[in-house]
Amino acid sequence: MSRRSWALFLIPVLIWSTTFYAITLQLGSVTAPTYAVALRFGIAAALLFGWLAIRGEPVFLSARVQGWVFVSGLCSYGISYVLTYVAEETIPSALVAIAFTLMVFFTPILARLAYGTPISRRTWVGGTLGVSGVALCFLPDVWGINFSHSFVLGMTAMVLAALVSSVAAVCSMRLNARNIPVVSYTAWAMAYGALATFGYGVASGQSFHLDLRPSFWAALVHLTVFGTIVAFLCYLTLLKREGSTRTMYISVLAPIGAVIVSILWEGFRPQALTWLGIVVALIGAWVTLKRRTT
């Protein structure tokens, strides 16, 4: 990859590695997670619209394009996050991280079905190594899980979350192919996601309370500016430049980065399987990224 593509790849990895920690600063908040997500994407959308207006760049999109943007936003910034929170109520966060790595398979498969994009052998090899590496990292955390009805429900929700995120990526690929400005369609997509998530909160009977703690707002600023605006714009721009295979490997390395952040900041003591998982995932990254793939 070019230097610019490497920057577009590494920035989301580094940022999303820290968002796992930032979210912990919002735990125990009077603001329900659903509304916290709606605030995150709503503020991000408003900032992006403001940026477009200041720079005189396109804000309004045609009705035909808006259909693709709506599906992308609903899936990526709405349904995916709601399903993730549903899953986190019933399964360990380790399994949440593992399930999201399935995007390295789901997205190329959907791109193949939708656009006929070929899938190389490196996609399967690198993806398998990546998913296996993440699974090894978190394996000590999931020993002895009770395979109850709630566990099945949680895992189903997470697999669906990864799938709808891949649907959103495929929609973004279509928008990129039509040369729709990334910032323009991302602003609308995040607005749709925020409205959908807020609507879900209201429909499900969740009460809205605004948390005034500085720690909550510090986390929200980080998640909004860096975890949402900067990271997603880099991710979507990389998707346009390099295709799905390389871009989706971000979903593998971000959890690996989160483990490293936990070691450095939270005093996490990794086991041998953790180190093995990191090595396996990095080998998968080398297989996937060292040469151009589709």
Side-chain angles (χ1 to χ4, degrees):
M1 292 193 294
S2 67
R3 289 184 178 179
R4 184 181 179 187
S5 291
W6 272 112
L8 293 171
F9 180 87
L10 292 174
I11 288 172
V13 170
L14 294 174
I15 291 176
W16 283 334
S17 295
T18 65
T19 55
F20 292 94
Y21 177 75
I23 288 173
T24 64
L25 299 178
Q26 295 185 325
L27 296 178
S29 170
V30 296
T31 303
T34 300
Y35 293 125
V37 170
L39 280 172
R40 171 181 172 181
F41 290 121
I43 295 172
L47 291 174
L48 288 177
F49 281 127
W51 174 260
L52 290 170
I54 291 171
R55 293 178 59 85
E57 297 182 10
V59 174
F60 298 101
L61 304 175
S62 68
R64 189 173 181 180
V65 169
Q66 284 284 12
W68 289 96
V69 177
F70 175 77
V71 174
S72 176
L74 181 65
C75 289
S76 184
Y77 311 117
I79 297 174
S80 175
Y81 276 83
V82 169
L83 288 173
T84 299
Y85 279 111
V86 169
E88 288 186 335
E89 292 176 353
T90 56
I91 62 175
S93 58
L95 288 176
V96 172
I98 294 170
F100 251 121
T101 63
L102 294 176
M103 286 183 66
V104 299
F105 298 127
F106 287 158
T107 304
I109 290 172
L110 290 176
R112 171 71 174 178
L113 294 174
Y115 312 128
T117 306
I119 305 176
S120 70
R121 182 177 300 178
R122 290 181 181 273
T123 299
W124 298 111
V125 174
T128 300
L129 288 170
V131 174
S132 299
V134 173
L136 286 171
C137 275
F138 293 104
L139 193 60
D141 296 330
V142 296
W143 286 121
I145 288 178
N146 180 18
F147 291 90
S148 61
H149 174 73
S150 60
F151 169 82
V152 174
L153 177 64
M155 282 304 299
T156 301
M158 268 319 303
V159 172
L160 288 175
L163 180 60
V164 297
S165 294
S166 293
V167 170
V170 171
C171 290
S172 296
M173 292 169 67
R174 173 59 64 90
L175 293 167
N176 289 335
R178 294 184 177 182
N179 291 318
I180 308 301
V182 172
V183 178
S184 298
Y185 76 69
T186 301
W188 282 100
M190 288 182 178
Y192 289 136
L195 289 172
T197 306
F198 191 88
Y200 168 77
V202 173
S204 59
Q206 300 180 40
S207 299
F208 178 75
H209 301 284
L210 193 59
D211 195 329
L212 300 179
R213 293 178 304 161
S215 60
F216 175 86
W217 285 97
L220 184 64
V221 168
H222 177 74
L223 292 169
T224 300
V225 176
F226 297 101
T228 301
I229 295 176
V230 175
F232 272 107
L233 288 181
C234 288
Y235 162 82
L236 292 169
T237 303
L238 182 67
L239 185 64
K240 182 176 183 177
R241 289 171 60 91
E242 297 289 340
S244 63
T245 297
R246 285 177 163 176
T247 304
M248 289 309 113
Y249 216 85
I250 292 173
S251 68
V252 171
L253 293 188
I256 296 296
V259 172
I260 296 174
V261 168
S262 185
I263 293 172
L264 296 176
W265 291 357
E266 300 179 304
F268 172 66
R269 295 184 178 181
Q271 301 182 25
L273 280 176
T274 307
W275 291 116
L276 177 61
I278 292 174
V279 171
V280 171
L282 291 177
I283 293 174
W286 178 77
V287 170
T288 303
L289 303 175
K290 72 171 185 175
R291 187 179 300 176
R292 170 169 286 279
T293 56
T294 55

